[in-house]
Amino acid sequence: MKTQQQIIEASEKYLMKTYGRFPVALVHGDGCRVFDADGKSYIDFLAGIAVNGLGHGHPALLHAIEEQSRKLLHVSNFYHIEPQAELARLLVEHSFADKVFFCNSGAEANEAAIKLARKAAKDRGEPDRFEIITMTQSFHGRTLAALTATGQEKFHKGFEPLVPGFRYIPFNDIPAAEKAVNGKTCAVMVEPVQGEGGVNVPGPDYLHALREICDKRGALLIFDEVQCGMGRTGRLFACEHFGVWPDIMTLAKSLGGGVPIGAMLARDEAAKSFSPGTHASTFGGNPLSCAAGIAVMKTLLATGFMENVTARSDYFQERLLKLKKAHPVIRNVRALGLMVGMELTVDGAPVVKACMEKGFLINCTNGNVLRFLPPLIIRNEEIDLLVEALDEIFQAGDFA
């Protein structure tokens, strides 16, 4: 096996500099722990940015991948694929949707949703209804339309001109939505909980209001649950906490437990606008990724799993709120399930580095929000270890 330094040197030599990487090469995982090439252990409170929902090496997921790999890795979507149909059934039967389109990532799922919303408007005889309203501080992906939908200018710089037909309004602002949605709006696109924007949880009436506004103005409602979906918040989908279903929903990240897969779900009224030739994905819904998705879905739906996520979330929030009382540098703690943000009065990057040195993987988003997205199988003992490490870091005070 190569040393950590050898892996880092190869990365520096051959890879484009699209990531600011930490000087760590992770080579092995087990449960909620990962190990670098030099043998150091880390408790993973990032989970591949909410991808490894079942942690690392989950038996059900490994069994599904191994079994399917011996049967069939890939065939074209020119043919019917059994695991694809089964995963679609599970998603439909546990959601609002009637139909599913599979792709490979969250950005691709959002591109599909954008295309479907515009096509559905034209199929209804409303060619001028093409605008999509998204929220400031949102994040919808890095492909060009998804990037344009993202309401953060820092991601736009250097890629202009962006795709026309997008407008941004403040998140969690009902009057702004009332004012913005009009006869040109084909859809409103929103994350039920903003992730990259700082783990922003809306008020209890916000999604209800968006639903009513879209219904009244003839626009579709799209929920981007790429990060907040698939059990992350203690429900299969985050929107269930608010009692609101969209017309279109996008999923990815934890759907495959680490195997790349994305999905766009829709009601029949919108879904019928996709017909052969209107949209496609070569690898989307391949047998391997769908077998992984089935294993993830069945695990999440098992009796007691979501209740355990909620219990761990309550415990985590309780520990962090106690920490907040002890350290004025902590401005706020925001969470829904195991999607947790700790807003600081200082830059969060040094805290992330200090945590890594102590053996914990977290990250910082929006400059000063520590984001915790642990595997959904995290235990109280592991939460305790992180909180103790944070306490030591804040007491030392050398992070500012």
Side-chain angles (χ1 to χ4, degrees):
M1 179 185 291
K2 290 184 177 179
T3 66
Q4 184 149 272
Q5 188 56 38
Q6 288 173 326
I7 295 170
I8 292 170
E9 288 174 358
S11 293
E12 293 292 329
K13 183 175 182 179
Y14 297 113
L15 294 174
M16 292 188 186
K17 309 299 183 184
T18 53
Y19 299 95
R21 299 178 192 265
F22 293 99
V24 172
L26 301 175
V27 297
H28 172 63
D30 182 17
C32 293
R33 287 184 179 269
V34 288
F35 303 83
D36 68 23
D38 289 343
K40 182 175 178 178
S41 168
Y42 305 83
I43 301 180
D44 189 359
F45 273 83
L46 187 57
I49 316 180
V51 169
N52 302 103
L54 301 184
H56 303 275
H58 192 281
L61 185 58
L62 293 184
H63 176 74
I65 293 170
E66 181 180 6
E67 187 176 62
Q68 186 59 50
S69 71
R70 295 179 184 278
K71 294 179 181 178
L72 193 64
L73 289 177
H74 176 79
V75 290
S76 168
N77 280 297
F78 288 149
Y79 313 102
H80 295 280
I81 300 169
E82 182 182 5
Q84 185 181 113
E86 175 61 10
L87 180 55
R89 181 189 70 79
L90 288 169
L91 289 168
V92 166
E93 290 185 354
H94 291 91
S95 75
F96 69 100
D98 299 302
K99 296 290 191 295
V100 181
F101 170 81
F102 287 113
C103 50
N104 307 287
S105 68
E108 288 183 44
N110 285 331
E111 291 275 346
I114 289 164
K115 287 182 66 174
L116 182 61
R118 287 187 168 182
K119 182 70 163 52
K122 288 177 173 57
D123 288 351
R124 293 196 306 267
E126 299 179 277
D128 294 329
R129 191 184 280 272
F130 63 89
E131 287 188 342
I132 296 176
I133 293 172
T134 65
M135 311 303 153
T136 55
Q137 297 305 311
S138 62
F139 184 84
H140 298 292
R142 302 279 189 167
T143 50
L144 198 55
L147 177 74
T148 307
T150 295
Q152 299 189 58
E153 287 187 11
K154 65 183 180 181
F155 293 114
H156 298 167
K157 290 179 180 179
F159 300 104
E160 302 86 352
L162 301 177
V163 177
F166 289 86
R167 288 194 293 141
Y168 315 109
I169 61 175
F171 180 70
N172 201 28
D173 188 331
I174 296 172
E178 281 276 10
K179 184 178 179 181
V181 181
N182 57 38
K184 288 188 176 181
T185 308
C186 71
V188 173
M189 187 174 190
V190 62
E191 300 156 276
V193 181
Q194 289 187 330
E196 298 296 328
V199 189
N200 301 314
V201 183
D205 299 326
Y206 181 60
L207 297 185
H208 275 283
L210 291 184
R211 177 75 275 174
E212 291 175 0
I213 292 166
C214 287
D215 289 343
K216 183 167 60 177
R217 308 281 170 81
L220 297 176
L221 181 59
I222 303 171
F223 285 167
D224 176 346
E225 294 229 5
V226 169
Q227 186 171 142
C228 64
M230 298 308 297
R232 174 56 49 188
T233 65
R235 300 282 184 91
L236 190 60
F237 308 112
C239 63
E240 293 181 78
H241 288 279
F242 305 94
V244 182
W245 287 117
D247 301 293
I248 300 171
M249 177 188 288
T250 57
L251 302 170
K253 289 192 181 289
S254 192
L255 177 58
V259 177
I261 185 172
M264 189 265 292
L265 287 61
R267 300 181 192 272
D268 269 334
E269 185 60 29
K272 67 183 182 182
S273 288
F274 269 4
S275 57
T278 53
H279 198 55
S281 172
T282 297
F283 294 102
N286 68 74
L288 185 69
S289 64
C290 286
I294 291 167
V296 169
M297 280 288 289
K298 288 183 175 179
T299 302
L300 297 182
L301 294 170
T303 302
F305 189 93
M306 293 300 178
E307 289 80 2
N308 186 67
V309 172
T310 299
R312 298 293 81 73
S313 169
D314 291 345
Y315 183 78
F316 197 4
Q317 290 181 62
E318 178 186 332
R319 291 299 317 270
L320 292 179
L321 287 170
K322 286 183 179 178
L323 198 65
K324 176 179 179 293
K325 290 181 180 179
H327 300 287
V329 72
I330 303 172
R331 177 179 291 155
N332 194 12
V333 174
R334 299 188 289 269
L336 191 61
L338 287 172
M339 190 171 182
V340 184
M342 175 187 281
E343 184 178 354
L344 306 180
T345 61
V346 297
D347 178 20
V351 183
V352 173
K353 182 180 178 183
C355 280
M356 176 170 285
E357 290 170 354
K358 288 180 175 290
F360 300 89
L361 303 185
I362 67 171
N363 92 316
C364 177
T365 187
N366 213 33
N368 66 330
V369 180
L370 302 182
R371 181 171 49 167
F372 311 104
L373 300 165
L376 303 180
I377 59 170
I378 197 76
R379 299 174 300 171
N380 286 355
E381 307 91 273
E382 292 159 329
I383 291 170
D384 287 339
L385 290 171
L386 172 67
V387 173
E388 289 165 10
L390 287 168
D391 188 34
E392 293 172 0
I393 291 166
F394 292 139
Q395 282 188 40
D398 57 358
F399 50 84

